[in-house]
Amino acid sequence: MNTGLDAKVVVITGGASGQGLAATELFAAEGAKVIVADWNEAGAQAQAKALQDKGADAIAVGVDVADESAVKGMIDAAVSRFGRLDVLFNNAGVGFSSTNRFKMANVVETPVADWDAIIAINLKGPALGCKFALPVMAEQGAGVIINNASINGLVALSGADAYTASKGGVVALTRVMAADWGPKGIRVNCICPGGVDTPMINQALVDDAARAAAGAGNPLRRIAQPSEIASVAVFLASDAASYVNGVIIPVDGGATAI
Ligand SMILES: NC(=O)c1ccc[n+]([C@@H]2O[C@H](COP(=O)([O-])OP(=O)(O)OC[C@H]3O[C@@H](n4cnc5c(N)ncnc54)[C@H](O)[C@@H]3O)[C@@H](O)[C@H]2O)c1
């Protein structure tokens, strides 16, 4: 498949870890110029260096996706370094965690500060990315936005109310932006992963039994590897998906089919 991604400029938030990191690898392998954006700036720098060492054109940007001026700086950095912006993968997210900051909790038990932070990062974050990316793409007459939501934007994750609500918001935001920006040549789509083997859930998957249990609820009987989500992002960004717009794609081993 010719993806048409050679020399395309791709911003990936949350690019220092997990699915975002896998996406930086796959887009770079397609010849794309990659902006590794993360609030873990050292991790973003390390990943940009790793890509450069493989011959890719990559830079790192430290960004909190919930911070308007930092997100503007991220998009400005892409345009000033590479002259254009072709793809924004809004991937950074928090809240699907049983032990870390922003612990999963129901609406009664969620501290208001956590509610605000999870919504700010998971929902406002993608909106801010689009706020600054869409005008650049509209000026070019082309561009692709990919949002990373979750199957919990489609079905409830009991006891993770802010996370579930934030991801439902990302699904709805995808649809309205696809409707509004399609006429400008911009496609907006959304990936809804099931369980993925990344640091976000790994602290809960302490042994093989926990890992097997996490995958047991879907027909493939396993959780995904990060590259299995990143490859869908590459497809959505590619010329092969040139008529795909406004879709919400579960990438969940069939979990939401049953
Ligand atoms: N792992 C799963 O099972 C799973 C399932 C469905 C959806 N998701 C979603 O996939 C996306 C990627 O998660 P992952 O599994 O790769 O997790 P991860 O924790 O490995 O990676 C998330 C990355 O986002 C960065 N990040 C978090 N908040 C940020 C912020 N405010 N600004 C900038 N960067 C920030 C982190 O530093 C990290 O590098 C998230 O949106 C997550 O909600 C994950």
Side-chain angles (χ1 to χ4, degrees):
M1 181 174 80
N2 180 10
T3 60
L5 290 169
D6 189 37
K8 291 284 171 68
V9 179
V10 181
V11 171
I12 300 172
T13 69
S17 177
Q19 298 167 60
L21 187 145
T24 70
E25 302 275 355
L26 293 192
F27 277 100
E30 292 298 324
K33 300 170 191 298
V34 175
I35 294 87
V36 185
D38 207 293
W39 68 359
N40 172 5
E41 191 165 357
Q45 295 281 5
Q47 180 56 9
K49 170 81 166 53
L51 296 173
Q52 290 160 6
D53 288 347
K54 291 184 198 165
D57 206 348
I59 61 169
V61 174
V63 64
D64 176 354
V65 298
D67 178 331
E68 180 180 5
S69 63
V71 174
K72 181 177 186 309
M74 172 183 77
I75 301 299
D76 287 350
V79 174
S80 79
R81 173 71 171 77
F82 296 117
R84 55 184 293 115
L85 173 61
D86 297 294
V87 179
L88 170 62
F89 184 21
N90 285 311
N91 164 76
V94 294
F96 186 90
S97 166
S98 54
T99 57
N100 287 343
R101 194 176 162 206
F102 313 128
K103 272 203 292 199
M104 292 192 283
N106 68 31
V107 75
V108 173
E109 290 164 358
T110 302
V112 169
D114 277 11
W115 183 273
D116 288 346
I118 291 168
I119 298 294
I121 294 168
N122 291 4
L123 178 54
K124 188 175 75 174
L128 287 177
C130 293
K131 177 179 174 66
F132 298 108
L134 286 168
V136 176
M137 293 174 173
E139 181 75 20
Q140 295 168 177
V144 178
I145 305 286
I146 303 157
N147 296 323
N148 201 354
S150 165
I151 57 168
N152 305 126
L154 305 172
V155 295
L157 177 60
S158 245
D161 296 16
Y163 184 80
T164 300
S166 72
K167 295 302 189 178
V170 172
V171 167
L173 180 66
T174 300
R175 292 196 174 108
V176 72
M177 292 194 303
D180 288 349
W181 293 87
K184 308 265 189 209
I186 301 165
R187 298 185 292 105
V188 186
N189 293 298
C190 182
I191 299 172
C192 289
V196 189
D197 191 356
T198 72
M200 185 174 277
I201 62 168
N202 271 350
Q203 25 81 33
L205 304 182
V206 287
D207 54 25
D208 286 349
R211 190 169 296 273
N218 75 70
L220 296 186
R221 301 285 189 264
R222 63 176 179 85
I223 61 173
Q225 289 306 305
S227 63
E228 293 178 293
I229 311 301
S231 60
V232 179
V234 166
F235 164 70
L236 288 172
S238 77
D239 291 348
S242 55
Y243 202 61
V244 180
N245 187 34
V247 302
I248 313 300
I249 303 183
V251 186
D252 62 357
T256 51
I258 57 176

